Amino acid sequence: MNASFEARRRRAVRRATLLALSLGTTLGISLGLVATAPAFAQQQPAAWPARPISLVVPFPAGGTTDVLARALADKLSQSLGQPVVVESKPGAGATLGADYVAKAKPDGYTLLMGAVHHTIATSVYKKLPYDFQKDLAPITVVAMVPNVLVVNAALTPAKNVAELVALAKAAPDKLAYGSNGNGTAQHLIGTQFQASTGTTLLHVPYKGSGPLTTDLLGGQVAMSFDTITPVLQHIKGGKLRALAVTTARRSSVLPDVPTLEEAGLKGFDIGTWFGVLAPAATPKEVVARLNAEMVKIIRSPDFAQRMQAIGAEPLGGTPEEMARQIRDETARFAKLVKDGGVAIE
């Protein structure tokens, strides 16, 4: 009896021990899952945007690209709830800034304020370190700004395009025009102007409109084909004289200034558009969010008023529309670049 009882007791103790071990293991796993849950949650990507966004301007401060970028960044910071910081990366006709963004992490935190210049540079520069159509994702076109032919009013006597052409023909390769870089719209407009008028001008490239305008006012260059924005106040102040705008239509802020076509250069129609792009692999949902927020800002009465003050026409549109515009203008300018013999190693 005692032996049988002792055997049963031992079996009961063994079962109880096994049950306790089993329960302890299960509890330990449960507690472990609870303990690791916060760490697992912390590893999940935060909702975009969770930190400041950089909007890269490929020109120095003070030019049209910079002015537009700051106007957009100001409103975008409010709508996204995160600072949008304008960062200047000038040089090489706006290609340095484009290359920087093209190679940036595609997470929606590094954007480019691009422009028509980049569709021209594709043909002008023989060895670009990026492909503008493949390495960057269009978000939206922001605005279009007409270019204007201006001369230093005190140093250049020409009152109209015909008189300027006469001056240029009397002194071949002497009349200097400034641009905001090789391969930019201003550079190409200059080559087209020469082809259309039979003149030869001296091209002086700058890193951007800021330093160009300073030298234009100082007389280091006689003329420029810059966008209206950086020269508008100097035209109104009388230091610069506007001879013609380079687009097919007159500008609403310079209604008395004729177009180059009206001045006798048939079919002349080149302006400057500006738009925002991201690295090519940026998530589609981030691009869609940026497009929606930007278009809403661009089409707002307040933004339109700010654009009117600087001679810009607000646009806005889909990424697909911007991609088509880039593709079409790249082909168009490739022909103009070839015809003008513009090439940079």
Side-chain angles (χ1 to χ4, degrees):
M1 178 70 71
N2 289 341
S4 177
F5 174 79
E6 182 61 23
R8 288 198 299 272
R9 186 186 69 79
R10 288 178 179 175
R11 285 196 298 271
V13 170
R14 192 160 50 247
R15 285 196 299 269
T17 301
L18 291 172
L19 179 60
L21 288 172
S22 177
L23 289 172
T25 301
T26 303
L27 180 61
I29 292 173
S30 299
L31 289 173
L33 287 173
V34 171
T36 58
F40 177 75
Q42 290 173 4
Q43 294 174 4
Q44 301 307 298
W48 182 93
R51 54 186 174 86
I53 296 167
S54 175
L55 179 56
V56 174
V57 170
F59 292 107
T64 306
T65 319
D66 181 66
V67 172
L68 286 175
R70 292 183 188 280
L72 181 64
D74 179 42
K75 295 294 183 181
L76 196 58
S77 298
Q78 298 173 30
S79 64
L80 292 177
Q82 288 288 348
V84 178
V85 182
V86 174
E87 184 179 358
S88 180
K89 289 190 176 296
T95 63
L96 292 184
D99 182 48
Y100 174 83
V101 176
K103 292 179 171 60
K105 187 176 180 181
D107 54 9
Y109 292 101
T110 305
L111 308 175
L112 172 71
M113 179 58 85
V116 67
H117 314 301
H118 295 106
T119 63
I120 299 170
T122 298
S123 299
V124 171
Y125 288 85
K126 293 183 178 180
K127 296 179 181 179
L128 279 180
Y130 65 92
D131 186 310
F132 190 64
Q133 294 190 64
K134 293 181 180 179
D135 297 335
L136 290 152
I139 296 173
T140 187
V141 175
V142 177
M144 196 285 291
V145 185
N147 292 65
V148 58
L149 166 56
V150 294
V151 298
N152 183 304
L155 301 176
T156 308
K159 300 295 192 299
N160 53 52
V161 173
E163 292 181 4
L164 181 67
V165 170
L167 284 175
K169 287 184 175 180
D173 292 316
K174 300 296 183 182
L175 203 61
Y177 81 95
S179 78
N180 60 2
N182 287 312
T184 60
Q186 290 93 318
H187 181 195
L188 192 59
I189 290 170
T191 64
Q192 289 302 112
F193 180 85
Q194 293 172 80
S196 299
T197 58
T199 56
T200 52
L201 305 173
L202 175 63
H203 176 226
V204 182
Y206 290 82
K207 285 189 175 181
S209 295
L212 163 59
T213 303
T214 298
D215 274 10
L216 180 59
L217 293 169
Q220 280 75 25
V221 290
M223 54 189 282
S224 80
F225 299 92
D226 209 345
T227 49
I228 286 177
T229 305
V231 296
L232 183 59
Q233 62 175 321
H234 303 299
I235 293 171
K236 292 182 176 180
K239 293 182 178 181
L240 298 178
R241 182 182 302 118
L243 303 186
V245 294
T246 67
T247 46
R249 293 183 302 171
R250 293 192 181 196
S251 167
S252 60
V253 294
L254 295 172
D256 297 329
V257 178
T259 66
L260 279 174
E261 184 166 26
E262 290 174 327
L265 280 63
K266 298 302 180 183
F268 209 111
D269 182 18
I270 303 177
T272 301
W273 58 261
F274 301 85
V276 182
L277 304 97
T282 301
K284 291 183 179 180
E285 59 271 21
V286 173
V287 171
R289 173 81 186 281
L290 282 166
N291 174 266
E293 297 292 350
M294 289 183 187
V295 170
K296 184 165 56 177
I297 291 167
I298 293 166
R299 295 179 179 176
S300 68
D302 180 56
F303 193 81
Q305 188 174 10
R306 293 183 71 172
M307 294 299 98
Q308 173 65 23
I310 61 173
E313 177 188 349
L315 297 174
T318 67
E320 293 75 20
E321 288 170 339
M322 186 178 181
R324 283 195 298 272
Q325 182 169 344
I326 289 172
R327 184 176 62 249
D328 293 346
E329 294 204 348
T330 298
R332 173 196 175 199
F333 288 124
K335 184 179 185 307
L336 294 180
V337 167
K338 182 178 180 181
D339 292 346
V342 182
I344 301 170
E345 295 292 340

